[in-house]
Structure formats: structure tokens, C-alpha cells
Amino acid sequence: MRAIALHQYLPIDNPEALIDVELPTPEPGPGELRVRVEAISVNPVDVKVRAPKPKVETAPRVLGWDAAGVVDAVGPGVKLFQPGDAVYYAGSIARPGTNSEFHLVDERIVGHKPRSLSFAQAAALPLTSITAWELLFERLGISRSTAPTQDTLLIVGGAGGVGSIAIQLARKLAGVTVVATASRPESTSWCESMGAHHVVDHRQSLVPQLQKLAPQGVRYIASLTATDSHFPELVEVAAPFGHLGLIDDPSKPLDIGSMKRKSLSLHWELMFTRPLYDAADPLEQHRILNRVAELVDAGTLKTTMTQDFGPITAANLRRAHAAIESGRTVGKIVLGGYPTSHE
């Protein structure tokens, strides 16, 4: 089968950073699906894992943690799917990634693809939807009730992949006031189109902007990027007994002692925790993806795909990684289908 892999961890402008390879087609084991991958999307985690370092892989390493495709074969004991089912999922960071023609995945973290979306449109959603759902409703504890409340949710980095779907989930499924951050006209417009009630500029001080919108303080904060830069202001704008959740990797220590006076709670969200530890009901991600698909097909949620970078090739994937590294992408980048020839 065709795949895109790496042997060395190189700058993305190096043609060897990601290369086209041929690998054996894998056979599904117990509880596994073999999926014929029709489309993939690219996330910041792909870039973080591929970042330059001296390590060398003796065997080709395949990255990628988003896919949509068709079940090609099933292993012993599979109960949720059968060959021919259209699916979408994010996989596990502990296993070979989705940047390959065929991919093995535990059926418990796979969902039925939204019927109303193309494979490319669907591939934009799994990792970010699971991350946003778990962060908002499990980590932060926001109630899934549309009854209006006095509570405010701040989403730092609203135009990114997770922010794009988090805005929609909070606006459509909860009764909070959604405030997103952005800094450019195009990212501000995108956040508004996703459903944000208000958009503030994260290149300016957040404190005066949020004091106008939420003078009582912000009860829920989803910090998706640059947490270490914004942390003191996030603590300042948080309401007493508020909740701060983050998904990024701060480059310097956070002064969590500053949270004590307001009795604030700090929450980490990593959507790979369930597959890594087989913990907290492993079927829950299957259910989340199926629920998201139902909401998409009902017109409640929409795909966050904004750019299609063409067929799944190493050259196109390197372009996608470079775009993510620029920090200026809006929504999600997808790649769909393999070239008709192997050249």
C-alpha cells in the first residue's frame, strides 16, 4: 500500500521530511477495522511529532491522526461495523498513523461518517470534535442544556481546528455566552460564522475587553493556544470558582499558585488519553463521533474544512504541515484521495 512516512525528523522545507513509501497492507487483529482511507486532515499534533530532533527511525514512521474512509476488512470479535461502512475517526497516537492507503484502528474509537458530508469534509472533524467535546462537557463540566445562563465561555484561539468546532458545540448545545479570540479580519469573521457571540483580539490585553463583556468574570475558559502567554490574564478575568482547561504545551511553567485566591480549577484535555489507557469507557469516543455525525446531518453543526490541498502525497502533506507551522490557518486543511498512478 502507499503511505507517507518519515525516517528523520527534519525541517518541513526538506524534501525528506515526509516521503512517499510503499508498505505492506496490514491485517486486522481482534477488535480492529482495516479502513481504506479516502481523506485525511492535518492537526498541530502532526507538526509537533514531526518537529526536528536528532532521532532516526529504522522503519518508516507514518503520522496522521484524522481519517475518513470505508471499512475494508474486520478482525475477530468486531461488533460495531462491517465491510462497506463509511467511517471517520482520529486513531491513537501510540499506533501507526492515518497517512496510508489502509489503516488499522480499534473499532471502539470509530464513528459512522456523517452522511451529508464528503470524505474530505468529514476528515476535518474527528480529532477536533472529540477534543472540543471532552474539553467542554467532560473537563470543564459545561451543561449540555440550551437554557440561557449568565455564564461566559472564553475560547482562546477560536479560529483553529479545535476552536472552530468548540464554538459550534457551545453555541448549539449549551446556554453559555461564547467569546472567542482572534487577531485578523479573516479569523474574526470565521469565528463569527461558527457562532461566537463576541470576538476579542488576543494581540491586545484581554482584561479590559472581557471586563466589558463579562463584568462578573468568565466561568469557563478553553485555552487552546499560547496558554503560557495569556495565563496571568486568564486568571485575572476568571470568575471565582471558575474552570480553566487547556490543550496546548506551554513552553514555560504556569503559576498555578495564582489560581488559589479564586479557587480556580485547572483541567488538561488530551483526546488520546482514552485509547492510550483504555480508560473511562473506551466506547465513549465512538458515541461522541456518532453524536457529532447526527448533529452534522441535522444541520446543527458544519464541517470546519477550509482548504483542500489535493491528493494524499508527500509533497502536498509537506505543504499542509508548512501551513500549520505558519500559525495563520483558519479551520482545517484536508487532503483527499491518492493519485491514480504510483508516480
Side-chain angles (χ1 to χ4, degrees), residues 24-309:
T25 301
E27 293 297 325
E32 291 183 335
L33 311 176
R34 184 173 71 196
V35 176
R36 185 179 73 247
V37 175
E38 300 289 347
I40 60 174
S41 73
V42 185
N43 295 284
V45 64
D46 300 62
V47 172
K48 291 175 185 175
V49 173
R50 198 222 74 250
K53 48 184 167 286
K55 182 179 180 180
V56 175
E57 301 288 349
T58 55
R61 183 178 183 185
V62 178
L63 308 183
W65 293 281
D66 259 334
V70 177
V71 176
D72 173 72
V74 300
V78 166
K79 299 177 181 178
L80 302 174
F81 300 93
Q82 59 187 1
D85 286 347
V87 297
Y88 75 142
Y89 60 92
S92 167
I93 200 166
R95 302 182 59 173
T98 57
N99 298 338
S100 58
E101 273 190 287
F102 295 93
H103 183 252
L104 298 183
V105 61
D106 185 326
E107 68 165 344
R108 297 174 298 175
I109 58 173
V110 176
H112 291 280
K113 182 185 81 70
R115 295 185 302 275
S116 58
L117 298 184
S118 67
F119 285 107
Q121 291 170 327
L125 291 173
L127 183 146
T128 55
S129 294
I130 294 170
T131 300
W133 187 289
E134 291 183 349
L135 177 59
L136 297 180
F137 304 130
E138 297 182 14
R139 306 287 89 75
L140 296 179
I142 297 174
S143 172
R144 293 203 303 276
S145 167
T146 55
T149 71
Q150 298 299 310
D151 297 325
T152 299
L153 164 68
L154 173 64
I155 299 175
V156 180
V162 175
S164 299
I165 193 67
I167 291 171
Q168 295 186 64
L169 289 171
R171 181 64 186 265
K172 298 293 187 177
L173 302 186
V176 295
T177 297
V178 182
V179 180
T181 80
S183 61
R184 294 173 290 134
E186 58 268 37
S187 53
T188 297
S189 296
W190 175 255
C191 290
E192 291 171 344
S193 72
M194 292 295 99
H197 293 93
H198 308 282
V199 182
V200 298
D201 186 348
H202 53 232
R203 291 187 179 176
Q204 307 297 324
S205 174
L206 294 175
V207 175
Q209 298 178 83
L210 288 161
Q211 285 176 339
K212 291 179 182 178
L213 297 173
Q216 76 283 6
V218 178
R219 182 173 182 186
Y220 304 110
I221 300 173
S223 185
L224 310 180
T225 184
T227 297
D228 46 3
S229 299
H230 298 299
F231 188 77
E233 289 199 312
L234 299 182
V235 172
E236 186 172 349
V237 301
F241 309 106
H243 300 265
L244 168 60
L246 59 153
I247 67 169
D248 62 339
D249 299 302
S251 59
K252 56 188 179 183
L254 304 178
D255 178 18
I256 61 171
S258 64
M259 303 174 70
K260 181 177 181 179
R261 184 176 178 85
K262 289 183 177 178
S263 296
L264 303 178
S265 300
L266 182 67
H267 309 265
W268 280 104
E269 162 57 22
L270 178 68
M271 58 79 55
F272 292 122
T273 299
R274 274 193 169 102
L276 280 173
Y277 294 97
D278 203 24
D281 190 355
L283 270 173
E284 184 59 20
Q285 292 190 348
H286 165 72
R287 288 190 284 264
I288 290 171
L289 288 174
N290 281 348
R291 180 62 177 140
V292 169
E294 292 168 358
L295 291 165
V296 169
D297 289 336
T300 304
L301 303 177
K302 53 189 174 182
T303 181
T304 56
M305 167 184 152
T306 53
Q307 299 183 78
D308 186 335
F309 271 37

